[in-house]
Every structure is written in C-alpha cells, then in structure tokens.
Amino acid sequence: MTKQNKLKHIKAFSLCVIVAFSSYAQNPDNMTNNTLLQEWTGPYQGVPAFDKMKVEDVSAAVEKGMELSLADIEKIANNPAAPTFENTIVAMESSGKELDRVFTYYGILSSNMSSPEFREISSKLAPKLSEYQSKISQNEKLFQRIKAVYDASQKKPLAADQQRVVDLTYKSFEMNGANLDAAKKERYAAINKELSSIYNSFSNNVLHDEENYVTYLNKDQLGGLSEGFIKSAAKIAKDKGRDGEYAITNTRSSMDPFLTYSTERELRKQVWTNYYSRGDNGDEFDNNKLIAEILKLRKERVALLGYDNYAQWRLQDRMAKTPENAMALMNAVWPAAIARVSEEVADMQTVANENGDNITIEPWDYRYYAEKVRQKKYDLDSDEVKQYLQLDKLTEALFFTAGELFNYKFTPVAEGSVPVFHEDVKVWEVTDKDTGKHIGLWYLDPFARAGKRSGAWATTYRSYTSFEGEKNVLASNNSNFVKPAPGEAVLVSWDDANTFFHEFGHALHFFSSNVKYPTLNGGVRDYTEFQSQLLERWLSTDEVINKFLVHYKTGQPIPAELVAKIKKASTFNQGFSTTEYLASAIMDMKFHLADPTNIDIDKFERETLAELKMPKELVMRHRTPHFGHVFSGEGYATAYYGYMWADVLTSDASEAFKESEGGFYDKDVAAKLVKFLFAPRNSMDPAEAYRLFRGRDAKIEALMRDRGFPVPKE
C-alpha cells in the first residue's frame, strides 16, 4: 500500500480490520513498546521490524495510530492562521506517520501471513477504521481549509506538482461527501462503516474456501502430471498430514496446471468446481447475499452525492471518465473474443474426436484440450517450455531488464541484515548502475502457503517522496508459485512468467518515482496497470530469451526452433484469455449499473452472461462470489475494465518500441518511457503523459493486432 492523502490511505488497503484486546489496551504507557508503532531503524533509512511483529500487538497499534493521526488532523483543522498550501496541504501530507507504519505490518498480516486469530481481530476493527476515515473526510473545518486553498489556486495557480496535490485532495474530499449536509454526512459515514465489515467478511469467506477445499489424489490418479508437480503435490499433502497422497490446493497456481495436464477428467471437474465455486457453496461462507448488500449500499451512498449509479461516481476521475466509454471499449473487443472462442472450441473438439475421447468440451476440459491443440497446431508443448523457465533465472531476467531500461542494479543484501516476515522472503538493494546511488530495497515473497492470499501483487512499504528530504523506496513483489520439493528447481508456465514480469513492472513504477508529495504516488486505476502490462513484453525479447531461458538440468539455452514456436503461437488461445477476463470486467460494470433492489446475484450473473452470448465452454476469470478485486474493497469496483484500457496503451506503446531503431532496448524510447510514463506517477494527467511519450493518443487497432483479432475498419 502506498500512502496517499489521509482520506485515501485507508481505501487503498481494501481492509479487513481489527479491535481485540491486548495488554496495551489497558496500559497506554506501554504503547511506546509496541513494535508496530515505532520508527523504523537499521540500515537503508530504516526498515520494518518484520521479525518482531506480533498479531497481539495489532489492535492497540491501530487504535493508537488512529488517535495520533486524528490529533494531527485536528491540529491542521484548528490552525488559527489563514489556510495556505504549506500549513494545510503539506501538513496533511506529513500527518499520520505512526498509522502508516502500522498499516505496513497490517498489510503483511492480512495478505501474506493471515491466521484465524488475525482474521478475528481484523473483523472487529473494520468499522472503527471506517469511522476514522469518516472523521477525516467529514471534518468540516479541515475541508473548509482545503477548499480555501483550492479556491485560491483557481485564481492564482500554484507550481504544477503543488496544484496537482491540491486538485486531487479537494476532489477526493468532494467525492467522499465533504459538501453534504449533516444528515447526509451521517448516513454516508454509516454506509461506509457497514461496507467495511462486509468487505472483511467477503475476503475471509473466500480465504476459507481456498484453504478448506483440497483435492487429494492417490498414485493411480497422476496421469499427465509432470514430475515436479507431483513431487510438490506430495510435499503439500504430507505437510497437511496426508503422507502418501498428493494435494491439489484450491488456488490458481495449483488448479491451472492440473486442469492443463491431468488425464483424469472427473478429477479435473472436481478441481475446477472447487475453484470456481469459492464463495458460492450455499453455506455460512457463501458470498451472494453479501454482494447484494454491497451493491445496495454503494448505490445508496453515491445517490447521496447526486449520482445515478456507482459507476458514474467512480469513473469521473479515471481515464475512461464515464461507464459508457468503458463499456464502448469492452463492447468493441467482445465480439471478436467470443468468435475466437468458437474457433478454439472447434479445434479442441476435433482433437477430442480424433483421440476417440467421446466427449463434448466442457469448462474443465478447455485447458486440457487447448494444450493438445497447441501441440498439434504449433508442435508446442507447454511442459517442454517450462523446463526453460526457472524462477531464479527469471529473477535475473527482471534485473537485466531493469538495468537496460532504468539503469538499475540489484544486489542481494546479506542474509539477516534486513528483517523479513518469512524465511522464503529474499531482499535485494537497488542502486543506480552508473552513480551507485541507493534507490531502495526489493523484497520478493515467491511461494504459496497457508494464510497467504492467492494471486500475485506488488506493494510498497515506503514510497519515494522528497518534500521532507529524499526517502528511499521499499517495494515488494508477492507470488504464489508452488514451492518445490527440496533440491528441485522452481519451474513456471509461460503465463506465470508473464505475471512475474507484470508485477515487477509495478515495482519499477515504485522505484522510478520522482514525486515530491505522497499523494502524487497514488494512481489512476485504468492507467496504473499499463506500466506493469507493458513490462511483460520484455519476457519475449531475444535478449531475455537468449540469456536467461536455459534448461533447468542441462543448462543448455532454449533451442531456436522452440523459441520460434513460442512466438508463432503468441496469439494462441486469445479467445479464452480475452473472454474470461472481459466477462469479469463487463459483469463488474453491469452489476453496478443495475438496480440492486431485490437483486438475485446468481440469477443476474447467469442472465447477463446469456445476453452476452458467453460461450458455455468457459467461465469468467473471477466469478462474482469470489471477485475480490470488486467486492473485498473498492479499488477495482467498476474498474476491472482498466486492465483492457491499460492494454490499449500497452499495445500502442509496444509498437513505439518496435518501430524504433533499437527495438525494445532503444535508449531514446526507454528514456521517454521512464521520464513520462513511470517517474511522474500521478503528478500529471495520465492522458497528457501518454501524449508526451507517444506524440498522440493510443489507438485500439494496436490491441486488436496484438491479439490476432480482426482490426476494425475506420
């Protein structure tokens, strides 16, 4: 989580939250001994004391952090001096440092190291954190000071970065009800408080189903699975007290390869059902009623502000600006995506028939037969490709790319010199290759484990700012690769390697920041995925392929003919990947444009997908009952389309590199990339930043070419 202004820095958290009782609650004098509140010490401008954090310290630390932060806010609000940029906006940027530190630990305990004890604590604090947020966003004296600075700046503009902070701060308060009357403010705050608890419950329900639906295999049910996968599954089963069996966990990193390679169709169906039924099992952990309530509360809340629906309110400060613009992009791509699915299914059915399998393709067959088609059409075996995709070598490839584009050098720090929260976490120092200037630290937490949320993500523990002296960056990448058996290499799929590069793109975005004020490290949701999606393109460059894709046993480089097959197959299965993503993005928007009164979530999902002519052979990437991006918080709500919006920018920017003399390593284009698209963060309008890089707006035609879809005629 990156610190933005005081109103945003809770929302960025997507919170599950806390207030149980620790010894500190009864003895405030002990608060200075609470590790989570203390200033960071040690090398590298101070680092989080991850080795000393305790769940039992969380409640008191958050309570005290909120108290101290609100004291800072009250001091600003009640300053007798006339409001200025320095005594109001800068003072807000500097406030709440103790709570920021607590949130760093909280984020780890929530996402990387969750436990039943923590979840119980977090559910109790959710409403308190919501109240804390409302005390800031609805502080009338504070808002009047912000408004005074804003109004003055409209007559006499400030320096560009200062003006951007003022504009973003004012807009954020305005969007969150600062101009409402007292009765509406009270209701607005009550809705936020209720939502915070529901978001927490939603997340915990999904995590419950991920942890408790495990498929165990015996040795006669391993057909088609790779040796490395089998060894890993055996270790997981043993760790779960099922020695001699093989565990398929209910996470994408375990489900995906199993569905791709297992010859056991009934087991594929079981694993598929477990995964896509998370939060939708008709029990106490079912999320459908929670979603209905979320939609009602969101609509009621934005109605207080005069908006017809949540999407209108949410998108006003995004690149798309309106839900109509977002839907127009998705509708432009959708027909080509589902048409491609029809072609893919036909190819798969042909292979199934040729094999005498006597089946009709179902969703749990898609990955399996797609792999058969890949082998038939392109003579490309994904498992063969994996032999050349070692996690350690891919990490080196990340560093190489960062060195070529950003001039960064990554050096491992001495083990034990920087505290980590788990033995799997490794840390590197980031410096400038030429000057040796220290830029920050990069933490990598690569493996899946109990209590760690699924997927992959990036975050910061400290972001770059310079308004109080230059601060270095502490950035983290987190993945869920299946941990191998001892002595075995970590081999990943091409898709997982892409994701690894994607998340590292977020880290480079953090490291390259040159903004002065914390608020400017925030992002515009349909833009911030662009930088990370763009970095995926370097995985398939010749420089990375030739240097880092070597066989995990022989050390031999990947054969040129295999590389040729990979590139030839680059648009393979785009129907599947585009449709499963777009279905989720469209459903996100449709839910928030619908009337939520008496809405039946399951029925609405079914009927909407039917209207879209969703192919029956696949499902949404994130079915509604476990769509955490949208319903465990508000970060991606009506904004999941943003990945495609960003992908238009990505495809267009990629063509800028392709057209240049030096290709993807062209120094001039790379310099513009860093200067205009990475370093400014949110200190300038994203559309203007892109025009400075490209000389024009991005064009959708590049996206269609990228995916091998027909390019619409002008």
Side-chain angles (χ1 to χ4, degrees):
M1 183 197 78
T2 54
K3 175 181 175 179
Q4 299 174 36
N5 61 40
K6 291 301 108 181
L7 180 60
K8 291 182 179 177
H9 92 221
I10 297 250
K11 287 197 168 182
F13 222 30
S14 264
L15 286 164
C16 325
V17 213
I18 346 177
V19 63
F21 303 95
S22 77
S23 59
Y24 298 109
Q26 281 107 33
N27 189 352
D29 293 335
N30 285 339
M31 198 59 65
T32 55
N33 297 321
N34 190 315
T35 300
L36 310 191
L37 285 159
Q38 290 172 358
E39 286 194 35
W40 298 343
T41 60
Y44 308 111
Q45 298 185 26
V47 292
F50 288 129
D51 56 335
K52 296 179 181 177
M53 68 179 183
K54 299 175 184 176
V55 173
E56 56 265 31
D57 287 345
V58 172
S59 290
V62 173
E63 293 269 25
K64 187 64 176 179
M66 289 190 294
E67 177 189 325
L68 295 171
S69 179
L70 289 173
D72 289 344
I73 292 297
E74 283 300 312
K75 185 176 179 181
I76 299 165
N78 291 291
N79 187 341
T84 64
F85 177 78
E86 288 295 329
N87 70 20
T88 301
I89 305 300
V90 173
M92 287 180 65
E93 296 290 290
S94 186
S95 67
K97 289 185 172 67
E98 296 87 357
L99 189 58
D100 287 337
R101 290 195 289 267
V102 176
F103 278 166
T104 294
Y105 298 106
Y106 186 94
I108 297 298
L109 292 168
S110 174
S111 298
N112 301 67
M113 301 285 290
S114 186
S115 65
E117 294 79 11
F118 176 80
R119 285 171 225 166
E120 182 180 350
I121 291 171
S122 71
S123 66
K124 294 177 180 176
L125 196 57
K128 284 187 173 279
L129 276 165
S130 179
E131 287 178 344
Y132 157 79
Q133 178 186 344
S134 295
K135 286 176 182 176
I136 298 174
S137 64
Q138 298 190 2
N139 187 312
E140 182 62 25
K141 289 182 179 179
L142 178 67
F143 179 62
Q144 289 307 317
R145 292 184 69 85
I146 294 168
K147 188 174 186 301
V149 176
Y150 174 79
D151 289 343
S153 74
Q154 301 307 294
K155 298 173 184 175
K156 185 178 180 181
L158 301 164
D161 61 344
Q162 295 179 349
Q163 189 64 52
R164 182 75 171 168
V165 177
V166 171
D167 292 347
L168 290 171
T169 302
Y170 177 79
K171 184 65 175 176
S172 178
F173 272 72
E174 182 185 59
M175 283 181 65
N176 284 277
N179 280 320
L180 295 176
D181 62 34
K184 287 182 176 178
K185 278 184 178 179
E186 185 177 354
R187 180 56 189 153
Y188 194 99
I191 291 172
N192 276 344
K193 183 176 179 180
E194 190 172 352
L195 281 170
S196 68
S197 294
I198 299 174
Y199 296 155
N200 187 69
S201 297
F202 182 99
S203 297
N204 287 344
N205 288 346
V206 176
L207 191 54
H208 170 274
D209 285 358
E210 287 176 350
E211 291 181 348
N212 287 279
Y213 284 82
V214 180
T215 303
Y216 291 98
L217 316 179
N218 60 47
K219 63 181 180 181
D220 298 324
Q221 298 173 314
L222 304 174
L225 302 177
S226 69
E227 180 184 356
F229 186 86
I230 290 170
K231 287 181 178 178
S232 175
K235 183 180 186 300
I236 294 169
K238 185 176 181 179
D239 291 345
K240 291 179 177 294
R242 303 280 289 260
D243 196 7
E245 296 181 273
Y246 306 83
I248 310 302
T249 58
N250 203 19
T251 61
R252 182 171 290 274
S253 60
S254 190
M255 171 276 294
D256 200 281
F258 184 81
L259 294 185
T260 303
Y261 297 109
S262 173
T263 57
E264 300 285 336
R265 190 174 190 233
E266 284 304 309
L267 285 172
R268 290 205 307 268
K269 181 178 181 181
Q270 180 179 331
V271 169
W272 181 92
T273 301
N274 284 348
Y275 186 78
Y276 288 104
S277 297
R278 291 170 298 148
D280 193 28
N281 289 297
D283 56 11
E284 62 181 301
F285 303 101
D286 191 281
N287 275 331
N288 285 286
K289 289 183 179 178
L290 296 183
I291 295 165
E293 192 60 27
I294 288 170
L295 293 172
K296 289 175 192 171
L297 290 170
R298 284 177 176 171
K299 184 174 176 64
E300 181 189 353
R301 192 183 69 194
V302 300
L304 294 171
L305 299 168
Y307 294 92
D308 293 334
N309 57 65
Y310 181 88
Q312 273 185 357
W313 171 80
R314 180 67 284 169
L315 268 64
Q316 62 184 295
D317 61 349
R318 305 291 166 92
M319 287 190 79
K321 303 301 181 187
T322 69
E324 291 78 16
N325 289 341
M327 285 300 300
L329 170 62
M330 294 189 284
N331 287 335
V333 179
W334 180 256
I338 60 174
R340 181 58 54 84
V341 168
S342 295
E343 296 171 11
E344 291 171 2
V345 171
D347 288 342
M348 291 188 287
Q349 191 65 57
T350 298
V351 168
N353 294 344
E354 289 173 351
N355 291 348
D357 291 341
N358 194 29
I359 65 145
T360 299
I361 300 296
E362 298 284 355
W364 45 91
D365 299 316
Y366 208 115
R367 290 170 175 83
Y368 180 77
Y369 285 99
E371 185 57 30
K372 300 295 184 190
V373 173
R374 190 198 309 267
Q375 293 176 28
K376 177 184 175 183
K377 268 195 168 185
Y378 303 100
D379 191 25
L380 181 61
D381 182 346
S382 293
D383 204 42
E384 180 185 3
V385 176
K386 283 181 71 171
Q387 315 308 307
Y388 297 92
L389 294 171
Q390 303 172 66
L391 183 60
D392 288 350
K393 288 292 183 182
L394 288 170
T395 305
E396 292 177 22
L398 299 182
F399 298 161
F400 168 78
T401 303
E404 292 297 305
L405 299 180
F406 294 81
N407 211 43
Y408 291 161
K409 178 182 178 182
F410 286 71
T411 307
V413 304
E415 197 162 329
S417 63
V418 172
V420 293
F421 51 83
H422 191 277
E423 61 183 7
D424 290 343
V425 180
K426 306 301 178 190
V427 188
W428 286 259
E429 182 184 9
V430 186
T431 55
D432 183 274
K433 280 167 58 177
D434 294 333
T435 66
K437 179 184 176 182
H438 171 76
I439 293 163
L441 296 180
W442 183 64
Y443 296 69
L444 175 63
D445 182 18
F447 300 122
R449 59 175 167 269
K452 186 176 184 182
R453 70 177 174 91
S454 60
W457 67 96
T459 188
T460 53
Y461 308 141
R462 179 167 60 225
S463 296
Y464 177 86
T465 57
S466 59
F467 80 120
E468 295 179 325
E470 281 196 299
K471 303 294 184 186
N472 69 346
V473 178
L474 305 181
S476 170
N477 280 133
N478 309 270
S479 302
N480 267 281
F481 299 118
V482 177
K483 194 169 186 178
E488 297 290 322
V490 185
L491 302 178
V492 306
S493 69
W494 188 264
D495 284 347
D496 282 342
N498 255 318
T499 300
F500 198 41
F501 268 71
H502 174 106
E503 296 302 335
F504 189 64
H506 285 303
L508 291 175
H509 204 181
F510 301 146
F511 286 126
S512 60
S513 171
N514 67 356
V515 305
K516 188 172 183 179
Y517 302 102
T519 287
L520 300 182
N521 272 312
V524 178
R525 182 63 70 184
D526 49 9
Y527 181 66
T528 54
E529 292 299 331
F530 155 54
Q531 289 82 357
S532 50
Q533 287 180 183
L534 184 60
L535 202 80
E536 295 175 26
R537 304 306 173 102
W538 274 264
L539 172 62
S540 55
T541 60
D542 291 341
E543 289 82 351
V544 166
I545 287 171
N546 295 334
K547 286 176 181 285
F548 303 104
L549 271 59
V550 299
H551 196 278
Y552 79 105
K553 285 184 177 177
T554 67
Q556 292 297 307
I558 187 168
E561 57 269 24
L562 185 54
V563 174
K565 292 176 187 177
I566 292 171
K567 291 187 175 182
K568 187 178 178 183
S570 62
T571 59
F572 176 73
N573 226 29
Q574 276 296 328
F576 174 84
S577 58
T578 305
T579 300
E580 67 155 8
Y581 156 73
L582 261 185
S584 292
I586 292 172
M587 284 302 310
D588 168 32
M589 196 66 72
K590 294 276 192 181
F591 267 119
H592 288 91
L593 293 173
D595 181 357
T597 308
N598 300 319
I599 191 168
D600 181 322
I601 299 301
D602 182 68
K603 181 182 179 184
F604 187 88
E605 180 185 285
R606 276 198 322 275
E607 291 181 349
T608 303
L609 292 174
E611 288 172 11
L612 290 168
K613 296 182 173 58
M614 176 76 171
K616 67 178 181 60
E617 295 86 2
L618 73 164
V619 293
M620 300 158 61
R621 182 174 179 84
H622 305 286
R623 282 201 56 239
T624 310
H626 53 255
F627 203 172
H629 289 75
V630 173
F631 297 113
S632 67
E634 299 192 30
Y636 283 91
T638 66
Y640 198 64
Y641 78 89
Y643 284 98
M644 178 147 286
W645 193 278
D647 215 13
V648 172
L649 302 173
T650 298
S651 300
D652 193 74
S654 294
E655 292 191 350
F657 277 98
K658 290 174 187 174
E659 294 161 3
S660 68
E661 184 178 349
F664 277 88
Y665 296 88
D666 189 276
K667 294 299 182 184
D668 291 338
V669 181
K672 289 170 67 178
L673 177 85
V674 176
K675 180 178 180 180
F676 297 122
L677 302 183
F678 276 74
R681 297 290 295 174
N682 197 19
S683 62
M684 67 171 70
D685 178 75
E688 177 60 24
Y690 191 82
R691 283 191 287 270
L692 288 169
F693 167 74
R694 193 69 163 112
R696 57 166 174 77
D697 291 326
K699 298 179 179 179
I700 191 175
E701 289 81 2
L703 172 77
M704 303 300 275
R705 283 190 288 270
D706 247 359
R707 300 190 179 215
F709 294 164
V711 177
K713 295 179 181 179
E714 295 183 6

